[in-house]
Amino acid sequence: MSTEPGQLQFGDDPHALDHLMDGLRFQVTDDDVDPVEADESVSSALALIGRITETDIATDWFQARHSRIGDPSWHPPGP
């Protein structure tokens, strides 16, 4: 993902993940110059997470049994 002029980035090193984002596309602006569908943005986010964790999120994570999914007794912590 390249940085477009006027695009806001934050943090100590706003380009720290650039080397992992090759070929990924996100909808980061409101213009329609190069629109990205929501599905592609989500898919790109999962691919980036997979690259960071060195796990194939698309298969390993989704097909694995997760302890908090499907447990009707679990509720998110309250404030």
Side-chain angles (χ1 to χ4, degrees), residues 8-69:
L8 298 176
Q9 293 186 342
F10 302 96
D12 293 337
D13 184 359
H15 300 285
L17 298 178
D18 286 356
H19 70 285
L20 296 172
M21 298 176 70
D22 186 43
L24 302 179
R25 291 174 13 113
F26 300 90
Q27 186 69 40
V28 294
T29 62
D30 289 333
D31 63 24
D32 288 332
V33 173
D34 189 14
V36 177
E37 296 291 325
D39 291 352
E40 187 175 4
S41 286
V42 170
S43 177
S44 290
L46 291 172
L48 178 59
I49 293 166
R51 291 174 184 180
I52 291 169
T53 62
E54 297 180 353
T55 298
D56 186 355
I57 299 297
T59 56
D60 294 347
W61 190 85
F62 280 110
Q63 292 179 359
R65 181 170 175 86
H66 300 283
S67 62
R68 297 200 175 176
I69 297 175

